[in-house]
Amino acid sequence: MIDVLAVGETMAVVAPMTAEPLETASVFSVATAGAESNLAQWLADWGHTAAWASRVGDDPLGRRVTQALAKNGVDISYVAIDPAAPTGVMFKNPGVESTTVHYYRKNSAAALMGAAMVESLPWGRVRVLHLSGITPALSDSCAKLVQRLFDRAKLEGVAVSFDVNYRPGLWSVESAAEVLLNYARQASYTYVGLDEAQTLWPGLENARDVRDLIGGSARLIVKDGAVGATEFDGIASTFVPASVVEVVEVVGAGDAFAAGWLSAMLEGGEALDRLARGHQFAARALSSTSDFQPLKKVAADIE
């Protein structure tokens, strides 16, 4: 069985080795960047079976991305190689409060994903399908893919984990709000930041307002930055404060949180356990300029 199959684009990410702006940095790293594959790496690192499905270009960056994910324990069997379109690239401009990213992903191999991809996935072996709100923003064909994935998962009895993950650099609030709300209402587990919910759907004041908007038919996790996170299961709610951490850079923390929550859920943990592990994983991401911080590296650093 595959515990979690994550579907979405992964790019090569170029980032300063230390948390300083692109304009002044002199030493850079090349790694992977993709909300869905970030989550898959966190889960694989913890010992779960995690697979990633996508498309990359037949180029050095595509090979670098897939090799890196495979090295970190992610099953890449469902990644297609596009001989004509390139692998996307992202540059990260770090900042504790205002990290920005610069995308070079238009017409990338992953942006050409479409509904036909659904038929190539191992539905009989998947426990949870993980998607994010980034994919439907990439192209019309990707938007059709996401809805087809929701439909097929329902037919197959596969739970869907959905991170709203609104990216203003990819589409406007006007374009995204209704689409992302529709997906959030279809998912088995939905994660959304209170701040992004307030951006997408004005008038929301707190986590319960978000639950009232999205509905109570599935588990909803509302994250409120350094304050904490609330999980709703119907009308019941559980709150766990965030971990105290010295923040180096914030990008990737949401993916880590979702991975931690899913990890505890897959192991049968209760709401307190799920939220606590979400914060644990997020703290590891916040303490580094890397979107993924392997547990074994953290242990080595402590020693």
Side-chain angles (χ1 to χ4, degrees):
M1 293 295 291
I2 298 171
D3 289 331
V4 177
L5 171 64
V7 180
E9 180 173 31
T10 295
M11 299 171 289
V13 57
V14 180
M17 289 293 290
T18 58
E20 59 180 307
L22 285 169
E23 294 95 324
T24 58
S26 57
V27 181
F28 298 83
S29 65
V30 179
T32 64
E36 300 82 8
S37 60
N38 284 344
L39 176 135
Q41 288 180 96
W42 286 109
L43 288 169
D45 184 59
W46 196 260
H48 299 284
T49 54
W52 166 62
S54 188
R55 290 172 71 93
V56 297
D58 186 11
D59 51 37
L61 292 178
R63 289 186 285 276
R64 184 168 182 142
V65 163
T66 53
Q67 289 167 9
L69 294 177
K71 182 179 179 180
N72 287 332
V74 177
D75 182 351
I76 60 170
S77 302
Y78 311 101
V79 178
I81 308 299
D82 192 315
T87 304
V89 181
M90 182 186 90
F91 288 82
K92 185 183 289 186
N93 194 25
V96 173
E97 298 295 337
S98 59
T99 295
T100 57
V101 293
H102 303 271
Y103 299 117
Y104 297 85
R105 70 200 309 180
K106 185 176 181 180
N107 297 321
S108 68
L112 300 179
M113 293 187 295
M117 179 183 181
V118 173
E119 302 304 321
S120 67
L121 302 180
W123 292 103
R125 298 193 293 117
V126 177
R127 294 179 63 185
V128 178
L129 172 70
H130 180 74
L131 305 169
S132 87
I134 295 173
T135 304
L138 299 181
S139 66
D140 289 342
S141 64
C142 282
K144 292 176 182 176
L145 166 64
V146 172
Q147 187 54 59
R148 187 76 167 271
L149 287 167
F150 269 104
D151 294 341
R152 183 62 177 269
K154 183 177 181 179
L155 182 66
E156 298 284 348
V158 173
V160 178
S161 166
F162 178 68
D163 192 341
V164 171
N165 226 330
Y166 172 59
R167 290 289 185 267
L170 295 178
W171 52 348
S172 68
V173 167
E174 292 74 21
S175 298
E178 183 176 352
V179 174
L180 295 179
L181 181 58
N182 178 43
Y183 292 144
R185 288 172 170 169
Q186 294 181 68
S188 309
Y189 321 118
T190 294
Y191 322 89
V192 63
L194 179 58
D195 55 348
E196 71 178 333
Q198 291 169 332
T199 297
L200 286 165
W201 311 301
L204 304 177
E205 294 185 3
N206 52 47
R208 190 160 291 277
D209 286 347
V210 180
R211 190 209 71 89
D212 290 344
L213 175 68
I214 292 176
S217 61
R219 288 197 178 97
L220 169 68
I221 301 87
V222 181
K223 302 167 292 178
D224 189 7
V227 177
T230 303
E231 177 180 331
F232 292 95
D233 186 0
I235 61 172
S237 65
T238 303
F239 173 80
V240 172
S243 306
V244 177
V245 59
E246 183 176 346
V247 177
V248 173
E249 197 262 314
V250 299
V251 174
D255 308 329
F257 182 96
W261 191 95
L262 270 178
S263 171
M265 185 279 298
L266 289 164
E267 294 172 7
E270 299 297 327
L272 286 172
D273 305 311
R274 295 189 289 262
L275 293 171
R277 191 172 296 177
H279 288 314
Q280 177 187 353
F281 281 27
R284 285 162 57 191
L286 289 166
S287 65
S288 168
T289 58
S290 174
D291 289 357
F292 168 60
Q293 184 76 349
L295 179 61
K296 56 189 176 184
K297 181 179 186 304
V298 173
D301 290 344
I302 293 173
E303 293 174 2

